[in-house]
Amino acid sequence: MSDIPDQSRPRSHSSHWGVFRAHWQDDRLVVAPHPADPDPSPLLQNFPDALRHRARIARPMVRRGWLENGPGPDRRRGRDEFVEMGWDEVLDLLAKELARVRDAHGPEGVFGGSYGWSSAGRFHHAQSQVHRFLNMALGGYVRSVNSYSAGASAVILPHILGPFDAVCRRNVTWTQILEHTDTILAFGGMPLKNTAVASGGISRHIERESMAKAHARGTRFILVSPLRTDLPEEAGSEWLAPLPGTDVALMLGLAHTLAVEGLHDTGFLDRFCVGYPAFERYLLGKEDSQPKNAAWAAAICGIPAERITSLARQAAQGRTLITVAQSLQRAEHGEQPVWMAAVLAAMLGQIGLPGGGYNYALGSLAHYGKQQNAVPIPTLSQGTNGVKNFIPVARIADMLLNPGAPFDYNGRRMTYADIKLVYWAGGNPFHHHQDLNRLREAFARVDTLVVHELAWTATARHADIVLPCTMTLERDDIGAAATDPLMVAMHKLAEPFGEARDDYAIFAELSHRLGTGQAFTEGRTAQEWLRHLYARTQEALAESGLSAPSFEQFWEMGEIKLPSAPDDGGILRAFREDPERHPLPTPSGKVEIFSEVVAGFGYEDCPGHPAWLAKAEMPDGRHPLQLVANQPYTKLHSQFDFGGYSASQKRRGREVARLNPVDAAARGIAEGDIVRLFNERGACLASASITEDVRLGVVQLPTGAWYDPADPMEDKPLCVHGNPNVLTRDVGTSQLAQGCTGQLTVVEVERFAGNLPPIRAFEPPAGVARPA
Ligand SMILES: Nc1nc2c(c(=O)[nH]1)N[C@H]1C(S)=C(S)[C@@H](COP(=O)(O)OP(=O)(O)OC[C@H]3O[C@@H](n4cnc5c(=O)[nH]c(N)nc54)[C@H](O)[C@@H]3O)O[C@H]1N2
Ligand SMILES: Nc1nc2c(c(=O)[nH]1)N[C@H]1C(S)=C(S)[C@@H](COP(=O)(O)OP(=O)(O)OC[C@H]3O[C@@H](n4cnc5c(=O)[nH]c(N)nc54)[C@H](O)[C@@H]3O)O[C@H]1N2
Ligand SMILES: [Mo]
């Protein structure tokens, strides 16, 4: 298994962006999508060049200042040289440092949240590995909860409808849409670039053909978004472009029209919901004398009042599905659009009907709109974390900068831990976090930062100890996701780069040094773990009376098809069919249009019913443009930014920023010009693309370009490559959820007239010998 017998024979593998087969031809890996995938992702072509790219990390490295002065706060992180070290020596050093922190500060001094997507394999899943290791070797770690994806929605949805998965994943499917849906009102759209991706893997990209078929049958798609490209041409959509961040006002305008024209379903509101009367008083302006009518909404969001009223009437006819992209809640007061869309769907009375109601995040990832598997997929047990303290994931810099300070989260008053050591494996905070110059300051405060990486990301460059790990193509694994019918044998396709080791092997070695080797490995090699994890699915298949191939057979076949659970609409359908027998898991058992629990928290930034709340940051004279920092088209997050497809879509080596012709002309910006985007937090360069597909007043720069400071010695260096997170604001969505708000920020853009600085993001850092 683990050696590579016949390199010219295609072998199966999987990634978050698709299942594929690969073989070697003339010293080059040839990657071909799964033959049954109707719309494979071009992201697959990031693999071949990535394997042996100079950005890979060849051997363990230790930061010179840390080595010479020992652990401690140090502003030289990200500015210092590195020293190469052999594996035995570096593992001894790290085991000693872990023991020091454990003994002096306890596991409460270690942050092991280690947020990030790493790779699709279920065993070599870095985040699971690092959590398991820290639980067993140190007794636990300060963890993070929720995600950058769904920071606000994951907290608000259980208060108002039910668990996140019940609203996103086990709800409306594309099959139901094809049969039943007349209108889809898609806030933030359903861009095909986003459904290219699902964590754990995706074998068939069905969204393009599903939208084409639905459109052909007569489904009307209405795109509410600053970018026309947020729905594909196949959907034949109408495009409405409100000012970003103002969707709640638009939704209230729609709701007001429904209420005053008697188009709302009072039967549904009475029987299945609580709190509509209180919300309606707000909607009609009974308390603040401001009805949230179409004219009021139009003045805020920029969609004409007549279109708002006609859209409300249209939505009240036939089967209507409302979707809200994750992006809308990755912004200040991100809880509000998630909640308000649910209220709108409740007023339309269609929650729980096939193809109707509300499916939060449908179209944001390929997980949603699919059927669940009827058998469990492999997962690695993480053990038990003895530390109770945690942060909402996007509060990382706040925590490191303010040890001991209080903060609010979902009704609790909590305290930030005092972190001495940060351990990261499988994520890239210099990709995912906001206000990167502030993040650099935060990382300067800890004693030790340890990073396992396959390439020289900015996070690796800011570490004290950098351990090179294998990438997915360099090891055997099993790919599977709860909403994809294929479980994939991920065959090793290449030898590890340089001295890179699997995360598992690194943690096993460290565990042995810390005396917890047996607990961590349970005496299994990596190959034995794969068989062990496979057995769970195999047994479930056998119990269901289905064919349950042996591990050897599975490995040889390359994939097995898993059975699906019925397309039954989940708990929302069951609730609609019999609300007494199947109440929702909310406090009232019903849809909470007003939540006593949320109101009881007393948060001004998240009151007891959805509301339009003024934003701290809106475009103004100094920063007149709204930056949309969305998911990239050419990669998953920052992964393989140095890969062939990602590189081919850059211009003069930089990320592309898109803006409207009117905004470009006003600034003397021409197609292909290098521009500087800036605000008081930072600045970055990008190549300008001018297009009517972007709303007036908006500039769009996707995330994903590796942070590349012109002069790392500066406190707020210019990022020459186009990482928008030097511009974004590091604040929580509200006291309720404290989610990430990276999607929107205000900026100004100008033509960059200076000499173009070189891109160095993919050059190994100073002091590192080039691999032979
Ligand atoms: N401004 C702004 N910021 C955002 C967003 C936004 O919309 N706007 N979106 C946010 C969202 S939704 C998300 S999910 C986050 C994503 O943030 P992340 O998940 O942190 O981003 P990735 O680039 O996927 O990071 C994964 C890292 O793991 C490494 N890796 C891959 N395989 C392995 C492995 O086997 N072992 C180890 N040790 N490492 C491995 C990769 O090289 C990569 O550096 O970004 C968030 N940030
Ligand atoms: N190719 C690719 N696909 C991905 C990812 C990736 O990195 N690359 N990441 C995956 C992950 S982890 C996640 S969580 C999902 C994220 O899914 P999302 O968060 O939904 O993805 P985004 O692309 O950030 O945003 C979708 C669109 O919302 C629009 N938008 C932004 N702000 C507003 C607003 O205020 N109002 C309205 N109406 N629209 C707005 C933008 O035009 C944007 O293109 O994507 C997944 N899919
Ligand atoms: Mo995400």
Side-chain angles (χ1 to χ4, degrees), residues 68 219 383 429 435 557:
E68 287 170 0
T219 307
D435 197 350
M557 294 186 299

PDB file of all heavy atoms in Angstrom, residues 68 219 383 429 435 557:
ATOM      1  N   GLU A  68      18.302  31.252  20.697  1.00  0.00           N
ATOM      2  CA  GLU A  68      19.378  31.909  21.448  1.00  0.00           C
ATOM      3  C   GLU A  68      18.903  32.417  22.803  1.00  0.00           C
ATOM      4  O   GLU A  68      19.633  32.346  23.788  1.00  0.00           O
ATOM      5  CB  GLU A  68      19.977  33.047  20.612  1.00  0.00           C
ATOM      6  CG  GLU A  68      20.822  32.479  19.478  1.00  0.00           C
ATOM      7  CD  GLU A  68      21.260  33.518  18.449  1.00  0.00           C
ATOM      8  OE1 GLU A  68      20.901  34.706  18.604  1.00  0.00           O
ATOM      9  OE2 GLU A  68      21.944  33.109  17.488  1.00  0.00           O
ATOM     10  N   THR A 219     -38.238  27.703 -12.590  1.00  0.00           N
ATOM     11  CA  THR A 219     -37.849  28.300 -11.318  1.00  0.00           C
ATOM     12  C   THR A 219     -37.220  29.666 -11.587  1.00  0.00           C
ATOM     13  O   THR A 219     -36.356  29.794 -12.449  1.00  0.00           O
ATOM     14  CB  THR A 219     -36.803  27.427 -10.587  1.00  0.00           C
ATOM     15  OG1 THR A 219     -37.313  26.103 -10.479  1.00  0.00           O
ATOM     16  CG2 THR A 219     -36.491  27.970  -9.198  1.00  0.00           C
ATOM     17  N   GLY A 383     -10.190  12.235  22.136  1.00  0.00           N
ATOM     18  CA  GLY A 383      -9.960  12.129  23.575  1.00  0.00           C
ATOM     19  C   GLY A 383     -10.712  13.204  24.340  1.00  0.00           C
ATOM     20  O   GLY A 383     -11.615  13.842  23.799  1.00  0.00           O
ATOM     21  N   PRO A 429      -3.754  31.093  10.222  1.00  0.00           N
ATOM     22  CA  PRO A 429      -4.345  32.329  10.748  1.00  0.00           C
ATOM     23  C   PRO A 429      -3.963  33.576   9.940  1.00  0.00           C
ATOM     24  O   PRO A 429      -4.738  34.529   9.893  1.00  0.00           O
ATOM     25  CB  PRO A 429      -3.829  32.416  12.187  1.00  0.00           C
ATOM     26  CG  PRO A 429      -2.843  31.314  12.352  1.00  0.00           C
ATOM     27  CD  PRO A 429      -3.042  30.340  11.255  1.00  0.00           C
ATOM     28  N   ASP A 435      -7.370  41.926  10.299  1.00  0.00           N
ATOM     29  CA  ASP A 435      -6.403  42.911  10.795  1.00  0.00           C
ATOM     30  C   ASP A 435      -5.060  42.240  11.119  1.00  0.00           C
ATOM     31  O   ASP A 435      -4.641  42.160  12.280  1.00  0.00           O
ATOM     32  CB  ASP A 435      -6.973  43.632  12.037  1.00  0.00           C
ATOM     33  CG  ASP A 435      -6.217  44.933  12.328  1.00  0.00           C
ATOM     34  OD1 ASP A 435      -5.174  45.169  11.709  1.00  0.00           O
ATOM     35  OD2 ASP A 435      -6.701  45.706  13.184  1.00  0.00           O
ATOM     36  N   MET A 557     -10.435  -1.159  -5.092  1.00  0.00           N
ATOM     37  CA  MET A 557     -11.491  -0.544  -5.909  1.00  0.00           C
ATOM     38  C   MET A 557     -11.327   0.973  -5.984  1.00  0.00           C
ATOM     39  O   MET A 557     -11.732   1.598  -6.950  1.00  0.00           O
ATOM     40  CB  MET A 557     -12.871  -0.858  -5.323  1.00  0.00           C
ATOM     41  CG  MET A 557     -13.250  -2.336  -5.392  1.00  0.00           C
ATOM     42  SD  MET A 557     -14.947  -2.641  -4.846  1.00  0.00           S
ATOM     43  CE  MET A 557     -14.937  -2.094  -3.161  1.00  0.00           C
TER      44      MET A 557
END
